[in-house]
Amino acid sequence: MRTGQSSARPLCLSHCGLSARNISTTTDYPEFKDLEEIKTHDDLYKFSINKPEVFWSRLARSRLTWSKDFTHVMKGDFLQEKMEWFTGGTLNASVNCIDRHLKTHGDKVALIWERDEPGTHSVYTYRKLSEMVGKIGNLLLKSGVKPGDRVAIYLPKSPTAVATMLACARIGAIHSVVFAGFSPDALAGRINDAQAETVVTANQAVRGGKLIELKKMVDSAVTRCPCVKRVLVYNRTEAKVPMGKLDIDMTKATLGESTNCPVVQRASEDTLFMLYTSGSTGSPKGITHTTAGYLLYSNVTFKHVFDYRDGEKFGCVADIGWITGHSYVLYGPLSNGGTTLLFESSPVYPNAGRYWEMVERLKLDHIYLAPTSLRLLLKSGDEYVKKYDRSSLRKLGCVGEPLNHEAWEWYYNVVGERRCDIIDTWWQTETGGVCISPRPSEIGAEIIPGMPMRAMPGIKLGLYDSEGKEVKGETGEGALCICQPWPGMARTIYNDHDRFLKTYLKPVP
């Protein structure tokens, strides 16, 4: 048994002993079967808006493993400019994503690493991932990383990157993942803003058949970062790179570490991670997400937006440097005990059939990608798609900028052969997870091309004009606003709460 596991037992589920009455919604919510007032998805949605504390508390106690139960569901609101969820409770994200699955699903595949080299992949079980997390966690502790410290991660999309994120969560450190395509200047700015003492990188990255000199870029960045005390270097390739006095060979150092790493229990509102978003103006914003609220929201939205079923293989191709990679490559799938894809390559390497060859070889049940990729692949023609068997696919997801009608039709008709729901999602770094999506919904509800359509349960939407007045009626123009707090929302901008308030809460009262 891993250290700390025994205290992190699931609390009694709120839906224990309920009758088998099902709610008419695309993915079942067993937590609400005892409530006669909830019969349809619309009933469930209204309940989530009118009784948010009951809605979210039932889900939190059912879906997450707590070391200590929370005493309050929600404190504060938008007018008070401070929101807290599940206060009094303690838990650990790595326990929720790994430890609790080990007893019954230790040999289940957690990660499928689709390497850059065409036609090659590796699988990592929950047990193997647990061992990696333990070793990296112990290395971080031995190197001087403490709870609350920020750790900058500048890694290619790999099992080591996922294990490093979860190792940070395990020991109570805050990970700040920087997309491993950003320049040394951009990296340095994010390291300095976070005052990160630790950087984790690789000797090189490989993408589209090309080598990217990550260590060289980190060396350049660190010369401008007096806060950095150590740089851990993972060897993605066999190439030797110069190692300085701050550098630690992570691959070699973890060999001697124990796989048992102590768990640091975190308060619900403790920061799990920060992620920089450029925004349209100004310096990058270090958006911070909390342990309990974010973890619950990514767990619930993953399950219900995509109707994820046990045993399926979920293929989100986003990089871990973006919020999509955090929520729907790592925390959403793994907290549900799912099997998730790590796609290291490019959609057009070695040709425009890369995704579809991968779907055939790995038998993916879901693929979740961006409209830019779809439009690029659409231009390459249908032959690259039809060359491969895509019959394993059940849902086709999309995230990013709006999905135009032509790309939607091609995705539905050609890729999905007119049998897969298109899950066109709207959300952003600040929301933590999907806020608008065609699913969940009533069973068989219409999906309209190019429209995310439906607010997630717990998400109350409104349209407001420049004077802060709600726009009513069938037509109108204004700012799309989320009108009440939800657990997955960002809490602040790191070291600049005033900017957070001015950006997100002040424009519309």
Side-chain angles (χ1 to χ4, degrees):
M1 182 172 288
R2 295 171 67 90
T3 306
Q5 187 180 1
S6 59
S7 65
R9 62 193 183 280
L11 298 163
C12 182
L13 303 188
S14 58
H15 59 281
C16 286
L18 302 185
S19 64
R21 183 181 65 83
N22 287 326
I23 299 166
S24 176
T25 185
T26 45
T27 308
D28 195 26
Y29 286 84
E31 294 85 357
F32 306 100
K33 286 183 176 181
D34 63 324
L35 300 178
E36 290 295 333
E37 64 198 279
I38 303 178
K39 296 181 174 65
T40 66
H41 181 80
D42 190 51
D43 293 339
L44 179 77
Y45 177 77
K46 289 175 181 174
F47 181 87
S48 75
I49 299 302
N50 295 329
K51 298 180 179 178
E53 295 197 29
V54 179
F55 179 75
W56 290 115
S57 66
R58 287 190 172 214
L59 289 172
R61 290 193 171 105
S62 172
R63 306 289 175 103
L64 299 183
T65 295
W66 299 81
S67 53
K68 180 185 174 188
D69 193 12
F70 48 89
T71 53
H72 293 86
V73 182
M74 180 175 67
K75 286 183 176 180
D77 56 32
F78 287 156
L79 291 177
Q80 294 178 48
E81 299 180 346
K82 185 176 182 182
M83 292 66 61
E84 295 180 336
W85 287 87
F86 313 119
T87 53
T90 61
L91 73 170
N92 184 280
S94 81
V95 169
N96 276 274
C97 289
I98 301 177
D99 297 50
R100 64 177 179 165
H101 307 311
L102 293 178
K103 186 174 181 180
T104 55
H105 296 98
D107 295 325
K108 181 180 179 179
V109 174
L111 308 177
I112 303 173
W113 183 23
E114 174 73 5
R115 300 163 70 97
D116 186 66
E117 297 83 357
T120 63
H121 69 274
S122 307
V123 297
Y124 290 70
T125 64
Y126 274 91
R127 187 164 285 105
K128 174 64 175 172
L129 180 59
S130 172
E131 291 169 355
M132 293 176 67
V133 170
K135 283 173 172 283
I136 295 171
N138 282 322
L139 177 59
L140 291 171
L141 288 172
K142 186 181 286 185
S143 301
V145 179
K146 304 179 297 297
D149 286 357
R150 279 77 58 208
V151 175
I153 299 174
Y154 188 69
L155 283 169
K157 194 173 175 187
S158 61
T160 296
V162 169
T164 302
M165 293 165 75
L166 289 171
C168 289
R170 189 169 195 83
I171 67 172
I174 298 166
H175 61 73
S176 173
V177 181
V178 180
F179 173 57
F182 280 164
S183 69
D185 285 346
L187 174 61
R190 287 157 173 78
I191 291 172
N192 283 325
D193 186 78
Q195 285 294 288
E197 295 181 352
T198 306
V199 179
V200 185
T201 190
N203 60 343
Q204 296 175 313
V206 190
R207 192 167 192 273
K210 298 175 182 176
L211 292 173
I212 303 162
E213 301 295 339
L214 290 192
K215 176 61 164 54
K216 190 178 290 184
M217 290 194 274
V218 168
D219 288 345
S220 173
V222 167
T223 60
R224 287 161 276 171
C225 302
C227 55
V228 173
K229 294 181 178 179
R230 62 198 71 89
V231 178
L232 278 60
V233 184
Y234 149 68
N235 294 319
R236 168 59 180 91
T237 69
E238 299 297 320
K240 301 294 182 185
V241 295
M243 298 287 281
K245 62 180 182 180
L246 297 179
D247 301 333
I248 298 169
D249 184 331
M250 184 177 178
T251 304
K252 187 182 293 183
T254 52
L255 290 176
E257 293 294 345
S258 168
T259 58
N260 289 314
C261 178
V263 174
V264 174
Q265 300 297 342
R266 302 290 278 165
S268 296
E269 282 291 307
D270 283 347
T271 300
L272 175 61
F273 68 87
M274 50 194 292
L275 188 60
Y276 283 89
T277 177
S278 321
S280 52
T281 59
S283 59
K285 304 188 291 284
I287 298 296
T288 69
H289 280 288
T290 59
T291 302
Y294 169 82
L295 190 62
L296 177 65
Y297 197 69
S298 60
N299 174 286
V300 172
T301 52
F302 173 76
K303 176 74 175 174
H304 293 273
V305 169
F306 303 105
D307 185 36
Y308 182 80
R309 300 172 185 176
D310 188 42
E312 290 189 326
K313 298 170 185 173
F314 189 80
C316 174
V317 297
D319 193 272
I320 56 160
W322 313 123
I323 189 66
T324 307
H326 283 56
S327 299
Y328 301 117
V329 172
L330 199 169
Y331 288 108
L334 296 184
S335 67
N336 275 282
T339 297
T340 184
L341 177 80
L342 295 170
F343 181 73
E344 187 183 35
S345 193
S346 152
V348 291
Y349 177 69
N351 56 52
R354 180 65 187 263
Y355 282 165
W356 323 122
E357 185 278 330
M358 177 179 70
V359 166
E360 177 183 271
R361 174 166 38 88
L362 302 180
K363 294 185 167 43
L364 297 180
D365 299 273
H366 303 253
I367 193 163
Y368 191 34
L369 42 74
T372 44
S373 297
L374 271 182
R375 287 191 283 270
L376 178 66
L377 297 173
L378 187 159
K379 290 176 182 175
S380 300
D382 298 356
E383 63 272 16
Y384 282 111
V385 183
K386 294 181 177 179
K387 182 178 177 181
Y388 300 102
D389 178 10
R390 304 166 321 284
S391 59
S392 63
L393 288 172
R394 194 168 68 82
K395 303 285 181 182
L396 304 177
C398 197
V399 57
E401 63 284 339
L403 178 59
N404 59 301
H405 200 281
E406 181 190 12
W408 192 102
E409 293 288 352
W410 185 77
Y411 203 18
Y412 180 72
N413 293 316
V414 178
V415 176
E417 301 168 303
R418 301 183 62 82
R419 57 180 179 75
C420 303
D421 284 349
I422 305 293
I423 309 299
D424 182 10
T425 60
W426 179 91
W427 60 295
Q428 49 199 60
T429 305
E430 295 86 346
T431 71
V434 173
C435 288
I436 313 176
S437 170
R439 299 286 187 259
S441 67
E442 291 290 321
I443 295 168
E446 180 184 19
I447 293 179
I448 299 173
M451 290 177 133
M453 299 185 69
R454 300 177 178 95
M456 278 294 298
I459 299 296
K460 182 181 179 182
L461 298 173
L463 198 64
Y464 288 81
D465 65 21
S466 58
E467 296 178 356
K469 295 177 182 176
E470 187 170 9
V471 178
K472 304 277 191 179
E474 289 297 309
T475 60
E477 210 173 276
L480 178 65
C481 297
I482 304 177
C483 306
Q484 66 186 37
W486 70 103
M489 63 175 286
R491 297 298 193 269
T492 190
I493 292 171
Y494 184 73
N495 266 348
D496 199 348
H497 192 61
D498 189 54
R499 185 180 180 190
F500 178 81
L501 298 178
K502 287 178 179 176
T503 305
Y504 304 110
L505 295 183
K506 299 286 190 187
V508 178

